[in-house]
Amino acid sequence: MASKAFSLSSFALILLIFISLDCNTALANSKHHKKSSASAFDFLKHLQGCHKGDKVKQVHDLKNYLQHFGYLTYQNKSLGSNDDDFDDELESAIKTYQLNYHLKTTGTLDSETVSQMMVPRCGVADKGRPDIINKRTRMESGKKRHHHNSTSKFHTVSHYAFFPGNPKWSANKYHLRYGFLPRTRVEAMEAVGRAFRTWEANTHFSFERVEDYRSGDITVGFHSGNHGDGAAFDGNGGVLAHAFAPEDGRFHYDGDENWSVGARQGSFDLETVAVHEIGHLLGLGHSSVKAAIMYPSIASGFTKGLHSDDIQGIRALYNR
C-alpha cells in the first residue's frame, strides 16, 4: 500500500514539473496565439529592387505601409496611394525611412530596406521626429549646393521622440489604474504587471491594477483584425500591438500573434512589448536608438528592457 502511494505521489510530481516546463507552449498555442508561417509584410519581398519610375504590382501596398507608419502623405489619396507607380513622393518617403533606420539613403527598395521593413513592429506611426525630417531637408539642400562633393555629411542626434503636440498626463494624474479586458490570460496579466512596475521604478508614476477595467485609466486586452479603434490589426507577423497617447489609455495586443513569457523562438515576449506600449501610454513616441525599448520593431525570440534613452525621454517630457 505504501509503495502504491509513493508511486502516485511520484507521478503527480513529474506531471507538475511537466506542466510547469510546458507553460510557454500552452501560451503560444492558445486561441489568442495562432501559428502561421505567413507574415502581413511578406508582400515586400516581391518589391525588392524597385525604384523611381517603376510600375510594379503591389507598389500601392508599399505606399499604404509608409503612409500608415508616418512617412508618406498624398494631398489627394486617390491620385497617389492607390496606384502602383513608384513616384517622386514614394522615393522621398523611402529616403526618410532609411535615414530613420540608419540605412543607406538610396531611395530604392534595396535588400537592407526590405529586411528592416519586414521586421514585426509596433502599430504606432514613427511620425513626430523633426530631427529626421530636418536631416532630410539639409541633405537635399546640401546636394543642390555641393553637387560635386559627394562626401558632404550632416549630423543629427538620434534619440527619443514624443507624439505631435507632446501630450502627457496632467500633473495630478501620477497614480494610474489599469485593468484587463475579459478573457485576458493570467500569464499576460502578470507580464503586463511586471512592465508597469519597470516604468514605476524609473518615473514619478505609480500604477495600480483594478478588477473592473471600466474603472481604470488604462485598459489592456487582445484583439484581432478590425476591433473598432480605427487601427485594425493585420494578422500574424506584422503589427504586434499598439497603444494611444495620453490620456486615452488603450493598449491592445494583436491576438493573432504567437505570444510567450520570455524569449522563445517564433514568439514575442509579452512583457517586452508591454514595456514598449506603456511608453506610448505615458507619451513617448518611437526612438531611433536600436537598443531603446521605444525602438519601433523587435524580432521574435528576444527580450528587451528600458534604455537610458527611454528614461531621458520620459524625464524630458515631464520636466523631471
Side-chain angles (χ1 to χ4, degrees):
M1 190 73 174
S3 175
K4 183 176 181 181
F6 176 79
S7 298
L8 286 173
S9 17
S10 298
F11 175 76
L13 179 61
I14 292 170
L15 183 62
L16 182 61
I17 293 171
F18 175 79
I19 290 171
S20 176
L21 291 173
D22 202 44
C23 173
N24 281 346
T25 302
L27 181 62
N29 287 302
S30 71
K31 72 174 184 176
H32 281 310
H33 310 99
K34 303 172 186 177
K35 289 187 175 181
S36 172
S37 58
S39 166
F41 297 157
D42 275 354
F43 73 90
L44 290 160
K45 296 177 184 176
H46 165 68
L47 298 175
Q48 183 170 312
C50 288
H51 52 80
K52 187 171 73 173
D54 286 346
K55 186 180 181 69
V56 181
K57 184 178 180 182
Q58 289 192 293
V59 163
H60 70 279
D61 290 328
L62 172 62
K63 292 180 178 181
N64 290 332
Y65 176 104
L66 289 166
Q67 283 190 113
H68 180 84
F69 294 120
Y71 293 92
L72 179 62
T73 302
Y74 285 100
Q75 295 299 323
N76 187 337
K77 291 185 178 181
S78 64
L79 296 179
S81 60
N82 295 324
D83 62 43
D84 288 322
D85 294 324
F86 200 122
D87 52 29
D88 291 332
E89 290 84 354
L90 180 55
E91 181 187 54
S92 180
I94 290 174
K95 285 181 178 179
T96 304
Y97 179 93
Q98 290 166 333
L99 274 171
N100 194 33
Y101 287 90
H102 310 294
L103 304 170
K104 292 180 180 179
T105 53
T106 62
T108 66
L109 210 62
D110 53 56
S111 59
E112 289 185 348
T113 304
V114 169
S115 295
Q116 178 61 54
M117 285 183 169
M118 290 187 66
V119 179
R121 55 163 294 156
C122 170
V124 175
D126 298 337
K127 60 187 176 183
R129 296 203 52 81
D131 56 327
I132 298 299
I133 302 302
N134 290 340
K135 185 178 180 183
R136 278 280 298 125
T137 303
R138 292 196 302 272
M139 286 187 70
E140 291 186 348
S141 62
K143 285 178 182 177
K144 291 176 183 177
R145 292 194 305 269
H146 308 292
H147 58 278
H148 294 298
N149 182 6
S150 61
T151 62
S152 179
K153 294 182 180 179
F154 297 88
H155 176 70
T156 186
V157 177
S158 298
H159 54 61
Y160 56 81
F162 309 131
F163 286 94
N166 298 355
K168 56 186 177 181
W169 293 89
S170 57
N172 63 339
K173 291 286 289 185
Y174 58 86
H175 181 75
L176 302 177
R177 299 174 299 168
Y178 66 95
F180 296 93
L181 295 178
R183 296 181 297 281
T184 302
R185 290 179 62 92
V186 172
E187 295 92 335
M189 292 181 184
E190 292 173 345
V192 171
R194 291 191 295 273
F196 274 115
R197 289 193 290 275
T198 294
W199 279 108
E200 185 172 86
N202 290 278
T203 66
H204 67 290
F205 287 101
S206 61
F207 302 96
E208 175 191 1
R209 178 181 166 185
V210 295
E211 292 302 318
D212 184 356
Y213 71 92
R214 290 168 294 189
S215 66
D217 304 292
I218 294 169
T219 57
V220 184
F222 288 81
H223 297 276
S224 294
N226 188 345
H227 50 285
D229 65 357
F233 283 128
D234 52 11
N236 183 272
V239 169
L240 302 176
H242 58 228
F244 293 80
E247 297 182 0
D248 185 293
R250 287 177 293 171
F251 162 16
H252 301 155
Y253 285 104
D254 185 350
D256 290 326
E257 302 294 347
N258 296 326
W259 295 106
S260 65
V261 176
R264 186 182 183 87
Q265 192 57 43
S267 299
F268 300 94
D269 177 43
L270 287 159
E271 185 176 346
T272 296
V273 172
V275 177
H276 177 99
E277 299 304 334
I278 293 169
H280 288 319
L281 293 173
L282 297 180
L284 286 179
H286 284 147
S287 172
S288 58
V289 176
K290 195 167 186 178
I293 195 65
M294 296 312 297
Y295 190 70
S297 57
I298 185 169
S300 66
F302 289 89
T303 60
K304 188 190 278 191
L306 286 181
H307 181 272
S308 59
D309 182 72
D310 307 305
I311 298 170
Q312 290 167 13
I314 202 70
R315 290 177 179 174
L317 180 60
Y318 288 93
N319 298 315
R320 289 179 178 268

